[in-house]
Amino acid sequence: MSTATITLSVEQQVARITLNRPEKLNAFNREMALALQAALDTCGQNDDIRAVLITGAGKGFSAGQDLSEVIDPQGPGMSKILKEHYNPIVRKIRALPKPVLAAVNGVAAGAGANIALCADVVVASSAASFVQAFSKIGLIPDSGGTYFLPRLIGWQRASALAMLGDKIGAQEAERMGMIYQVIPEDTFSAKAWELALKLAQLPTVGLALTKEAFSLSVTQSLEDQLQTEDHFQQKAALSADFKEGVQAFLEKRSPRFIGK
Ligand code: T3D
């Protein structure tokens, strides 16, 4: 499934979704937001897909909302942009029962930054940067920014970045714990792909349960979380991959996980 604004290709059980409006630094218009939702749906429905990599075409990851659409009288209008564009994207990424890797190849601004930050693993090229651009135009961080950012880097840093709108480089983002890893620009594409392949070869059921447990931990008490772990561990233990993992360990060989 590919459209003019999003390309989706599947290879070796990895879906690569590319935000594809490079002339606009992959800023989101309605067409691209809806196409990304459709691509995420495809990733959810296709059992052959075991990991999803999201990246941007050209030199940027995404500059967030296409500001020319906001002032377009024929555009979707402010009231639809969060309800119909960004909130469903964030929900779909978080609900996908497979790992999502954001491979931030260049600048990630506004909603573009926050969509990356809601992924399970975020890596960035040494050429990438992150900017909570909202305050510069009188808006507030959206696309889960007020939720994920303070949890990733702490209230104080999140508050300062959101209010000041400072652009930070990938190294600084890694140092703050905003992202997992910076990868040198010249090897970024290959290394990000290797990481996505690795995720696709891991026990998908266990990874999906891990993702859900982490999400639940944000609102649950320790007691509820311990019960969730108990419940989810029973489920993980029923998977074929658990059986294979233990068997492979005992036979001193590498496991061959099938994602079931
Ligand atoms: O209803 C609602 O809107 C609510 C939803 C909000 C969600 C949001 O995401 S709000 C935040 C929107 N994003 C921004 O405010 C970021 C605006 N862009 C920038 O600040 C800078 O472009 C960047 C920091 C991202 C990158 O700077 P730089 O110097 O690398 O590139 P540039 O030269 O500024 O941009 C390159 C081109 O992309 C340029 O077009 P041109 O002059 O070559 O024809 C620029 O206009 C265009 N572009 C960049 N960002 C956007 C954009 N066009 C439309 N919308 C953009 N967001």
Side-chain angles (χ1 to χ4, degrees):
M1 186 221 94
S2 289
T3 66
T5 52
I6 291 286
T7 64
L8 170 64
S9 58
V10 183
E11 203 184 316
Q12 294 177 267
Q13 301 195 295
V14 176
R16 179 197 287 271
I17 297 177
T18 306
L19 311 176
N20 191 30
R21 299 184 75 218
E23 70 292 351
K24 292 262 189 181
L25 291 176
N26 306 316
F28 277 89
N29 60 6
R30 182 172 175 82
E31 183 190 340
M32 190 168 99
L34 298 183
L36 176 56
Q37 291 175 31
L40 291 166
D41 286 343
T42 302
C43 294
Q45 288 150 7
N46 183 342
D47 286 344
D48 194 44
I49 295 172
R50 290 172 60 191
V52 178
L53 181 157
I54 304 179
T55 195
K59 70 177 182 132
F61 177 77
S62 170
Q65 173 61 35
D66 185 329
L67 295 175
S68 54
E69 185 179 66
V70 174
I71 52 153
D72 180 356
Q74 309 304 319
M78 285 291 277
S79 65
K80 285 190 176 171
I81 288 180
L82 295 196
K83 284 189 190 69
E84 296 184 11
H85 298 185
Y86 299 120
N87 291 354
I89 291 171
V90 173
R91 288 190 191 107
K92 284 174 195 290
I93 290 173
R94 293 313 311 156
L96 206 60
K98 9 197 132 175
V100 177
L101 172 69
V104 181
N105 53 302
V107 67
N114 292 337
I115 285 169
L117 297 182
C118 82
D120 299 299
V121 181
V122 187
V123 293
S125 156
S126 51
S129 54
F130 295 81
V131 52
Q132 295 290 322
F134 308 90
S135 64
K136 293 178 197 278
I137 53 170
L139 293 181
I140 69 149
D142 59 28
S143 308
T146 59
Y147 183 92
F148 292 104
L149 201 60
R151 288 172 168 85
L152 287 167
I153 61 173
W155 188 304
Q156 178 53 223
R157 285 168 173 158
S159 184
L161 289 182
M163 290 187 180
L164 298 169
D166 288 341
K167 193 204 273 192
I168 60 162
Q171 292 286 357
E172 183 69 354
E174 184 194 79
R175 197 186 61 74
M176 286 181 179
M178 189 189 290
I179 64 169
Y180 178 54
Q181 209 170 52
V182 185
I183 299 172
E185 185 183 6
D186 54 346
T187 55
F188 179 70
S189 185
K191 294 277 180 205
W193 178 252
E194 265 175 37
L195 190 52
L197 271 181
K198 186 172 180 182
L199 286 166
Q201 288 161 8
L202 290 170
T204 315
V205 173
L207 265 51
L209 292 166
T210 302
K211 174 173 186 166
E212 196 179 341
F214 267 73
S215 293
L216 288 169
S217 78
V218 175
T219 51
Q220 287 195 149
S221 66
L222 173 62
E223 188 46 44
D224 288 345
Q225 196 63 20
L226 291 173
Q227 285 180 28
T228 295
E229 288 177 6
D230 182 13
H231 176 50
F232 284 10
Q233 199 68 294
Q234 311 294 330
K235 284 195 188 179
L238 291 174
S239 67
D241 283 341
F242 170 60
K243 211 171 155 188
E244 164 64 6
V246 175
Q247 196 71 28
F249 177 80
L250 296 176
E251 292 170 7
K252 299 190 188 306
R253 61 171 173 83
S254 300
R256 286 181 299 273
F257 295 121
I258 58 169
K260 292 190 186 342

